[in-house]
Amino acid sequence: MLTLRAYLISLGVILGLYFLMVIPPLHKPLQFDEAEYAAFARQINKNGSTAIDYYGENMQQGFTVNGRYFPMKYGFYSHPPLYAYFVTIIIKLFGDFDYVYRAVSMASVLLTLLLVNLFIWAYYRDVDKQKKWILSLIASFIFLFTPLTLLGSQLVDIDNSLLLVSTTAFVLIFAYWYSRRKLRLGNLLLLGIILCVNLLVKDTTPPLIIACIFIFYLLTRKVKDGFKVCFAITFFGVVFFSLVWYFYCRIAGIGPFLFLLISCDMFMKRTGFSSIIEHLRLIKWNFFWLSVPLLVLIFISFWHNLRHCLKSSGKGVMLLFVIICGFIFTIYSVVLLGMYNTKYIIPIMPFVALILADYLYERLRFSAQVFKAGVVLFLA
């Protein structure tokens, strides 16, 4: 029988091993995009100007960080500016050091882990504590020690920090309210606000999440409800985003559609049939960073959930997580042929951890003894 003391000790061991793996590399110098994020944060912090002001001045000439020159083609025109100001606040509070930028990513992973555990305690609130403790330990272990998460804990970027947290919060809050049948107007309004925050962080992934939610309703034979929910969330989110973006562009003195035009230009240059073979070859890196043993478990658990859906009315939120993981992985790895950078699929990892934790517990009938044996094997 797993006691509270044993649970806390096990969780402490998992966190301790995680810190041992991610803290030593934090001192490494920033590279490429990482250096670009540091450059605009330093400029904003120094002059109090907007992110747009900085890139308007430096797009053609590039910048120098740690003695190395980096050319800049698009600057931050290709993304909304919330991450720029977030990083600026961090260095103002904790100092302008390379390890501070990397520590932000590590802190984001830990905050996401907290959201995952809060979801487990809320979603499984009607089951015994033993199951919740074991699910928490399994999900925490899988999430923290997947190579993709370990990479994201050290990389200075949008996808594995602010977008990871905001996307996880949006999906888990929606999933919890869906499971409790609490998707009323006020809840949808709040989800719209969270969607607005997601759009201000990065404008590509949030629409994919809405598409996943609609596919979820489609597979669970609730198309009418899905249309209403997705329309309401999207409407509120886009309205809030448009208002914030309009006033920001007025302050910055730029056209409100500039970043969208540049994003489209980047997309068109990254796609094309002439490079299909090369991009398909590079997809292997996404599989590599997920690791082969984990991929086997993911495919098995995915098939288990999808088969259950085809036989009945679906398996609830676990099916939603399967759709999100599969859809986003496919979009970034296959459909958007140029988007083969591994960092883009990091936001799916919390949902992978929840799916596998639920599957392993149900199929293997995890007990305290089984979990302890697994920990011993891992340490060995």
Side-chain angles (χ1 to χ4, degrees):
M1 182 176 179
L2 187 66
T3 63
L4 177 60
R5 181 172 179 271
Y7 164 71
L8 293 176
I9 291 175
S10 300
L11 189 60
V13 170
I14 291 173
L15 290 172
L17 291 172
Y18 169 76
F19 288 135
L20 286 175
M21 298 179 74
V22 301
I23 288 179
L26 293 182
H27 71 280
K28 291 184 178 180
L30 304 179
Q31 304 290 330
F32 302 105
D33 284 0
E34 296 179 318
E36 184 176 337
Y37 294 137
F40 68 66
R42 287 164 180 162
Q43 181 74 8
I44 296 171
N45 189 39
K46 180 181 178 181
N47 297 334
S49 58
T50 65
I52 298 299
D53 289 337
Y54 171 63
Y55 282 107
E57 297 170 0
N58 294 274
M59 275 184 69
Q60 303 300 324
Q61 62 195 54
F63 57 93
T64 302
V65 174
N66 294 327
R68 295 185 59 186
Y69 174 78
F70 296 90
M72 187 185 304
K73 187 174 183 180
Y74 294 102
F76 213 68
Y77 280 114
S78 59
H79 297 305
L82 186 58
Y83 182 71
Y85 294 106
F86 175 73
V87 175
T88 303
I89 293 171
I90 294 299
I91 65 171
K92 186 179 286 289
L93 292 174
F94 300 101
D96 187 357
F97 306 99
D98 288 353
Y99 65 83
V100 172
Y101 294 99
R102 297 196 185 281
V104 170
S105 299
M106 183 183 71
S108 298
V109 168
L110 293 174
L111 182 55
T112 303
L113 179 67
L114 175 62
L115 292 174
V116 168
N117 279 277
L118 288 175
F119 175 79
I120 290 174
W121 281 89
Y123 182 69
Y124 296 97
R125 66 179 182 179
D126 297 327
V127 303
D128 62 278
K129 293 181 180 179
Q130 289 285 310
K131 179 175 181 178
K132 286 186 283 192
W133 289 342
I134 295 173
L135 285 171
S136 170
L137 292 175
I138 299 173
S140 299
F141 184 86
I142 293 173
F143 175 62
L144 290 180
F145 293 108
T146 302
L148 201 56
T149 304
L150 293 173
L151 169 69
S153 299
Q154 305 165 33
L155 184 68
V156 179
D157 201 85
I158 300 174
D159 301 85
N160 54 286
S161 56
L162 211 55
L163 185 65
L164 174 66
V165 176
S166 60
T167 299
T168 303
F170 176 81
V171 173
L172 294 186
I173 290 173
F174 171 85
Y176 174 73
W177 281 342
Y178 173 86
S179 67
R180 298 294 171 180
R181 295 178 174 83
K182 293 183 177 180
L183 288 173
R184 304 183 183 92
L185 184 60
N187 304 104
L188 296 176
L189 179 63
L190 180 57
L191 286 170
I193 295 174
I194 301 176
L195 178 65
C196 168
V197 174
N198 274 267
L199 290 170
L200 288 169
V201 174
K202 194 170 184 178
D203 56 302
T204 49
T205 302
L208 297 181
I209 297 294
I210 296 296
C212 291
I213 292 175
F214 183 76
I215 295 172
F216 168 68
Y217 275 103
L218 183 66
L219 291 180
T220 52
R221 303 173 180 87
K222 299 176 182 177
V223 180
K224 188 175 180 180
D225 291 340
F227 180 80
K228 291 179 180 178
V229 168
C230 292
F231 176 81
I233 296 174
T234 303
F235 175 78
F236 291 135
V238 170
V239 168
F240 289 133
F241 172 80
S242 300
L243 290 173
V244 174
W245 185 250
Y246 171 77
F247 286 110
Y248 175 76
C249 290
R250 286 290 300 271
I251 295 172
I254 63 168
F257 298 106
L258 177 61
F259 90 100
L260 180 61
L261 294 174
I262 292 181
S263 293
C264 292
D265 180 64
M266 293 176 65
F267 171 75
M268 295 302 295
K269 290 181 178 179
R270 288 186 177 186
T271 58
F273 289 103
S274 62
S275 57
I276 288 179
I277 301 300
E278 175 65 13
H279 292 317
L280 290 176
R281 183 182 69 83
L282 289 167
I283 292 173
K284 69 181 181 182
W285 293 112
N286 285 341
F287 290 99
F288 171 78
W289 279 106
L290 282 170
S291 77
V292 175
L294 184 65
L295 272 173
V296 173
L297 282 175
I298 290 173
F299 287 136
I300 293 173
S301 62
F302 277 25
W303 172 245
H304 172 74
N305 278 277
L306 289 173
R307 186 176 60 179
H308 191 284
C309 169
L310 294 175
K311 288 183 177 180
S312 61
S313 59
K315 200 188 175 185
V317 297
M318 292 303 156
L319 175 63
L320 172 62
F321 299 155
V322 168
I323 294 169
I324 289 173
C325 295
F327 188 78
I328 290 182
F329 183 89
T330 302
I331 290 294
Y332 280 132
S333 300
V334 181
V335 179
L336 302 180
L337 295 172
M339 307 296 188
Y340 51 78
N341 197 318
T342 303
K343 67 183 182 180
Y344 293 128
I345 63 172
I346 289 177
I348 72 174
M349 294 317 300
F351 315 119
V352 168
L354 286 166
I355 294 165
L356 290 181
D358 179 78
Y359 174 78
L360 290 173
Y361 183 88
E362 295 296 334
R363 303 298 290 183
L364 302 180
R365 299 300 176 186
F366 259 88
S367 64
Q369 288 74 22
V370 172
F371 180 78
K372 290 177 182 177
V375 171
V376 171
L377 288 174
F378 172 78
L379 293 175

